[in-house]
Amino acid sequence: MTPDVHIRLTSALHGLRDVIIPAVDPNESLAREQCGLVLAQLEMLLRQLPWIERYPALCRDDMRATSISLIEAPEGGPVTSDAVARLSALLGAPALADAQADYDRIGFGVEALVRAVAQDGAAGYRARVDAEVLRFGRRQNWRERSWFAGTGFDPRPEEVPELATLFAHEA
């Protein structure tokens, strides 16, 4: 039987923690630092493993839903109209199999729309686009803080939800 990914990551963690790191010369600070970095990344991957395929899809689905709301009732000049048409075409095309690539593709369309609306969007539409994009950004920031909590770099870790909580809010 081939060991699953969880067993393989756990085995690598034990080997690194119990054999390799203790064997590294204490005077080799860079090597010890890099061992700690690899250990932390493996531990974070192990915690993320149950959701590793769902996370990009969760982000992509929110990006798509936000984008759909952005193209409803647009108001502005030709630059805005062109950006809305391009974003609509992206949304109308089949989703890419790679959720992260689809998220990026739609995100670039949203970015183009935000830039276009800044040029010739009607004031009310511009305010709506700005507000929707800001709300999406807050949700994405919440997801990313949760996803990368294992790095220990969050300035307010007590605010960061556990990954299970993050996925409990899936639509």
Side-chain angles (χ1 to χ4, degrees):
M1 179 175 103
T2 304
D4 68 16
V5 174
H6 187 272
I7 291 171
R8 291 167 48 207
L9 280 173
T10 302
S11 176
L13 280 164
H14 287 298
L16 186 59
R17 188 182 301 117
D18 301 338
V19 178
I20 296 169
I21 292 175
V24 174
D25 183 340
N27 296 321
E28 295 292 337
S29 61
L30 182 58
R32 292 188 72 78
E33 176 187 294
Q34 290 303 302
C35 284
L37 179 65
V38 170
L39 182 67
Q41 287 294 323
L42 290 173
E43 288 172 342
M44 191 166 56
L45 280 169
L46 193 59
R47 281 191 302 276
Q48 293 171 338
L49 192 59
W51 300 284
I52 206 96
E53 290 183 13
R54 290 170 51 202
Y55 180 76
L58 178 65
C59 299
R60 182 229 24 234
D61 293 348
D62 190 12
M63 174 67 78
R64 282 184 159 273
T66 299
S67 299
I68 289 167
S69 73
L70 294 177
I71 61 173
E72 293 173 357
E75 294 180 62
V79 177
T80 294
S81 295
D82 183 55
V84 167
R86 284 185 279 128
L87 183 55
S88 295
L90 289 172
L91 292 167
L96 301 175
D98 178 340
Q100 181 64 52
D102 201 45
Y103 170 89
D104 292 341
R105 178 178 68 119
I106 301 299
F108 288 130
V110 170
E111 180 182 354
L113 177 61
V114 169
R115 290 178 188 277
V117 168
Q119 286 183 37
D120 70 354
Y125 181 59
R126 185 172 50 248
R128 185 167 61 85
V129 167
D130 289 348
E132 287 288 330
V133 170
L134 182 59
R135 279 192 291 274
F136 169 81
R138 287 185 177 136
R139 290 188 305 271
Q140 186 63 22
N141 179 262
W142 186 75
R143 284 188 289 267
E144 289 176 1
R145 287 177 66 196
S146 179
W147 192 246
F148 292 106
T151 64
F153 294 133
D154 196 280
R156 293 179 303 282
E158 70 280 358
E159 294 177 2
V160 179
E162 294 291 322
L163 287 174
T165 302
L166 178 71
F167 287 94
H169 291 94
E170 276 187 88

